[in-house]
Amino acid sequence: MDKILRVNMTDLTVKVEPVPADWAGLGGRALTSTIVAAEVPPTCHPLGPNNKLVFAPGLLSGTAASNANRFSCGSKSPLTGGIKECSAGGTSSGLIARLGYKAIIIEGKPAGDTWYTVVVHKDGATIKPETEVLRLGTFATVQHVNEHYGEDFGVITLGPAGENLMAIANISVKDPESKIRSFGRGGLGAVMGSKKVKMIVVNPEGGVALRLADPAKFKAANQAFTKTLLDHPVSGQGLKKYGTAVLVNVLNEAGGLPTKNFTSGQCAHHDAISGETMYENIVARGGEPSHNCSPSCQIQCSQIYNDKDGNYVTSGFEYETIWALGADGMVEDLDVIAEIDNVFDDIGVDSIETPVMLAVAMEAGLLPWGDGKRILELLRNDITHATPLGRMLGGGTGHVGRAFGMTRIPVVKNQAIPAYDPRPIKGIGVTYATTTMGADHTAGYAIATNILNVGGKVDPLSNDGQVELSRNLQIATAAIDSTGLCLFIAFPALDIPECLGGVIDLLNARYGINLTGDDVIALGKQVLKIEHAFNLAAGLGPETDRLPEFFELEAIEPHNVKWDMDQKELASFWNF
Amino acid sequence: MQITVKLFATFRQDRFKLAEQDYPEGTTIADVLDALAIAAPDVGMLFVNGRSAEPERRLASGAVLAIFPLVGGG
């Protein structure tokens, strides 16, 4: 991994460059955010020629390390106007790493109407005009690549939403079953679409095993690390069986399951949309409860969900998607939610931003609460074909809320708030308000310590200790996101010392270095500061580090609490 | 006194989802766990009326007790 691949879409040229010394120790999020901060003017239009789209495998991607085959995609977000980093699984991260690329930078913007496919190979990339897969959904696009390029090729592509430059558009990545994993949040699909790149295909030919500085130490470290993943009840058992949807009933009991556009913390039909019900359906219908989203995953939180006749409906059926449609949007039938999830993947839209937007549209009266049939029509007709209504919806939650003159618009930095109400779970509120990403639970998952009793306990209903908790989690997360490791390794890492020790040993054995835990924390801090500086220069100042006002005005049941954290205390987040 | 007990995930196997149960005054959460043959180390989260609780907690009549194994997601 000693090369940077630079693809210029203005003049359709490709360069393979050496890795600058400053970037040598970086990977994943640390690298995408560093490159975006160095090369993208913070005030540029996200869909203009000065924005760039950067893909970077993690520091451990492409090796035999467990759960390390994720990669990051970074850019300036058309949704938030700030820096963005998303993480996704799939097969491409390892392939890119083994071709020797530390990062792929897509820059510029072509003048004409021609769309392109970028074929990445061991000697660089080829930019080809693309007509055959235009307007196709992501599943058909992946199928096309399997048939015309090869089943072992990686695919990074857009659905119709990305082609139409919608702020809800994601970037889709082929997974081991030729299904879809996503760089979900922040509208990165619109950035790729603005550069007229329909897909990036990765030719694995000529990929080589990555050189390990100390192969024996690496193997031992991976065994010790993997053991902690399998020993911890959350990563070793719970996620395998129930997936992330096990959280539906947990959050409902805790009174933090945002329901009917954030007007209640509990949902009457919670059990019908729970992980327990999902598991029963999967087993009864011949699906698969456990499934990996990328090679080398040991946690297997994904699953294959079939309909009543045993036919495939969706995979990677996540808590946040189920919550947003089922509780926030009141769709009571898990089978309908599964069908919508599959359409989200196919047309290439974020399965958090889109359903949270739909719940706002329901409150506005655009469609009835819980009307899955109407949701499918809006997705398949209006958003897919970019009708004026589809474009309005495609602008995301904030856009729709403003269009209807609403005040209950659950966004931070214009990005939809996910599946945990910040009023009864204060720690996650700090993360939503302060993260550089706009509302994002994964940026500092305070649910672990506020609700799940992982990594200790901090009372979710009290403001005490939440800023420090969120800060520590955000720093650690920024470091994990740079390794290519799945964030779910944080569950064992918070409880079992050998887990983080194993990660550090893996990095040291891979690169022949002597990192310590302090170095990893320093890396996390450095990433956050780079991102924060970009946001400040882009116009996202301290006044945007806050939750929407309705959380301060409206108490939520069952705990009857409002958001009441002092803004000065929130601002102290950045004191590090 | 009447207690509503709600079980989740693996704790439902060979037990129940939700039951109204009769316990003597002074019953603690730990007593209920014993009665249900749920081992303390297997317990991840306990909620009484939606608030996190410890096993030593004495239950009041009419309490809703939710018992989860160690689970997580995100």
Side-chain angles (χ1 to χ4, degrees):
Chain A
M1 289 174 72
D2 54 359
K3 300 178 285 187
I4 300 285
L5 179 61
R6 193 178 289 275
V7 179
N8 186 312
M9 296 306 298
T10 302
D11 55 16
L12 305 179
T13 57
V14 176
K15 282 186 204 158
V16 178
E17 302 172 350
V19 176
D22 289 353
W23 299 356
L26 306 177
R29 177 174 172 182
L31 187 54
T32 63
S33 288
T34 298
I35 294 175
V36 170
E39 300 193 0
V40 175
T43 52
C44 76
H45 195 294
L47 305 182
N50 287 323
N51 198 9
K52 303 192 182 192
L53 194 63
V54 184
F55 298 91
L59 287 165
L60 294 170
S61 298
T63 71
S66 293
N67 287 68
N69 277 308
R70 297 182 69 87
F71 63 147
S72 291
C73 179
S75 192
K76 175 171 173 169
S77 163
L79 190 71
T80 69
I83 199 164
K84 175 56 65 179
E85 183 269 352
C86 293
S87 166
T91 62
S92 290
S93 180
L95 299 180
I96 293 167
R98 285 192 291 272
L99 289 175
Y101 299 116
K102 208 164 167 60
I104 300 172
I105 303 172
I106 312 285
E107 59 190 22
K109 180 174 176 172
D113 293 329
T114 306
W115 283 81
Y116 297 92
T117 285
V118 176
V119 184
V120 173
H121 48 72
K122 65 181 172 47
D123 301 316
T126 307
I127 305 172
K128 299 167 41 175
E130 178 62 56
T131 53
E132 290 183 62
V133 298
L134 282 190
R135 289 178 290 284
L136 287 186
T138 62
F139 294 112
T141 300
V142 167
Q143 207 51 46
H144 175 91
V145 174
N146 285 351
E147 286 165 12
H148 293 85
Y149 292 80
E151 296 211 346
D152 53 351
F153 276 59
V155 187
I156 302 165
T157 189
L158 300 177
E163 290 185 42
N164 286 307
L165 313 190
M166 292 180 183
I168 62 172
N170 64 18
I171 294 176
S172 303
V173 183
K174 174 181 151 180
D175 80 2
E177 311 286 334
S178 288
K179 301 301 185 195
I180 295 301
R181 303 290 144 178
S182 308
F183 293 113
R185 309 224 62 197
L188 296 187
V191 178
M192 188 160 146
S194 75
K195 299 188 182 309
K196 291 276 195 287
V197 177
K198 168 68 178 180
M199 61 176 178
I200 300 166
V201 297
V202 185
N203 183 346
E205 197 182 330
V208 294
L210 295 172
R211 197 185 65 80
L212 303 175
D214 187 338
K217 188 179 166 192
F218 190 91
K219 190 175 175 188
N222 194 35
Q223 281 172 353
F225 168 65
T226 304
K227 184 172 185 305
T228 68
L229 301 185
L230 299 175
D231 283 352
H232 195 274
V234 173
S235 53
Q237 297 153 31
L239 283 167
K240 271 186 182 57
K241 186 164 183 179
Y242 299 107
T244 59
V246 74
L247 290 176
V248 171
N249 283 336
V250 174
L251 270 297
N252 188 69
E253 278 311 308
L257 185 75
T259 299
K260 215 170 179 183
N261 193 26
F262 288 78
T263 55
S264 171
Q266 289 184 318
C267 177
H269 56 267
H270 62 92
D271 214 54
I273 58 169
S274 66
E276 287 90 337
T277 298
M278 181 171 83
Y279 175 75
E280 285 172 16
N281 289 353
I282 288 172
V283 172
R285 300 167 179 185
E288 290 180 32
S290 315
H291 172 251
N292 56 323
C293 83
S294 58
S296 82
C297 170
Q298 305 291 328
I299 297 175
Q300 302 197 314
C301 73
S302 180
Q303 57 293 108
I304 292 176
Y305 187 90
N306 292 343
D307 65 16
K308 290 186 174 110
D309 301 321
N311 300 312
Y312 174 90
V313 182
T314 196
S315 53
F317 198 18
E318 292 266 5
Y319 165 62
E320 281 72 21
T321 311
I322 294 169
W323 154 76
L325 289 162
D328 200 40
M330 302 294 282
V331 178
E332 298 184 20
D333 185 337
L334 193 59
D335 289 349
V336 175
I337 296 173
E339 186 179 357
I340 296 170
D341 183 47
N342 179 263
V343 176
F344 284 163
D345 281 350
D346 196 32
I347 69 175
V349 295
D350 180 19
S351 70
I352 295 177
E353 189 69 38
T354 308
V356 174
M357 171 275 290
L358 288 166
V360 168
M362 287 171 189
E363 185 174 317
L366 185 73
L367 69 164
W369 286 106
D371 190 342
K373 197 173 159 218
R374 181 68 184 133
I375 290 173
L376 286 164
E377 285 172 3
L378 289 169
L379 296 172
R380 287 177 172 144
N381 299 335
D382 294 282
I383 292 179
T384 297
H385 299 296
T387 65
L389 174 60
R391 285 198 175 278
M392 197 269 287
L393 299 175
T397 307
H399 194 68
V400 169
R402 284 191 295 278
F404 285 91
M406 297 171 69
T407 54
R408 195 180 300 112
I409 310 174
V411 295
V412 177
K413 298 182 178 71
N414 201 42
Q415 179 167 287
I417 294 179
Y420 315 85
D421 198 289
R423 288 163 286 190
I425 314 173
K426 310 286 188 194
I428 201 71
V430 175
T431 295
Y432 294 156
T434 55
T435 169
T436 52
M437 295 292 138
D440 179 349
H441 61 294
T442 67
Y445 193 61
I447 304 305
T449 313
N450 276 180
I451 302 291
L452 305 174
N453 301 334
V454 174
K457 280 189 186 190
V458 173
D459 179 3
L461 291 158
S462 163
N463 287 329
D464 294 344
Q466 306 291 5
V467 169
E468 186 185 6
L469 172 67
S470 176
R471 184 194 295 125
N472 290 338
L473 288 167
Q474 290 195 47
I475 290 167
T477 300
I480 291 172
D481 285 342
S482 304
T483 59
L485 291 165
C486 170
L487 190 52
F488 288 166
I489 71 140
F491 289 115
L494 285 164
D495 282 339
I496 308 174
E498 291 79 11
C499 182
L500 198 54
V503 173
I504 292 167
D505 289 346
L506 280 166
L507 289 165
N508 288 338
R510 162 85 171 88
Y511 293 100
I513 51 179
N514 293 295
L515 287 181
T516 64
D518 288 346
D519 296 325
V520 174
I521 298 302
L523 174 67
K525 288 180 178 176
Q526 177 189 328
V527 172
L528 294 187
K529 286 181 175 177
I530 287 169
E531 293 171 349
H532 190 224
F534 183 96
N535 279 0
L536 291 175
L540 294 178
E543 66 282 1
T544 66
D545 283 356
R546 56 182 301 281
L547 299 186
E549 187 188 32
F550 80 87
F551 288 118
E552 296 167 24
L553 301 178
E554 300 173 10
I556 191 167
E557 298 295 344
H559 296 298
N560 195 30
V561 285
K562 298 178 183 177
W563 176 253
D564 56 357
M565 188 167 294
D566 181 67
Q567 197 62 27
K568 275 189 191 145
E569 190 179 351
L570 262 183
S572 72
F573 174 87
W574 288 105
N575 296 343
F576 64 87
Chain B
M1 61 180 182
Q2 286 291 112
I3 305 289
T4 301
V5 181
K6 295 160 87 171
L7 300 179
F8 297 94
T10 47
F11 288 162
R12 288 181 175 177
Q13 282 166 22
D14 303 322
R15 295 193 187 91
F16 54 86
K17 274 188 191 180
L18 185 149
E20 300 279 335
Q21 297 193 319
D22 202 23
Y23 284 97
E25 294 289 333
T27 293
T28 64
I29 295 175
D31 296 332
V32 177
L33 294 175
D34 281 347
L36 294 170
I38 293 174
D42 293 339
V43 174
M45 284 163 275
L46 296 166
F47 295 97
V48 175
N49 303 329
R51 300 187 86 123
S52 179
E54 299 298 321
E56 307 76 44
R57 165 85 169 264
R58 293 174 76 151
L59 295 166
S61 181
V64 178
L65 169 65
I67 308 171
F68 288 88
L70 284 155
V71 292

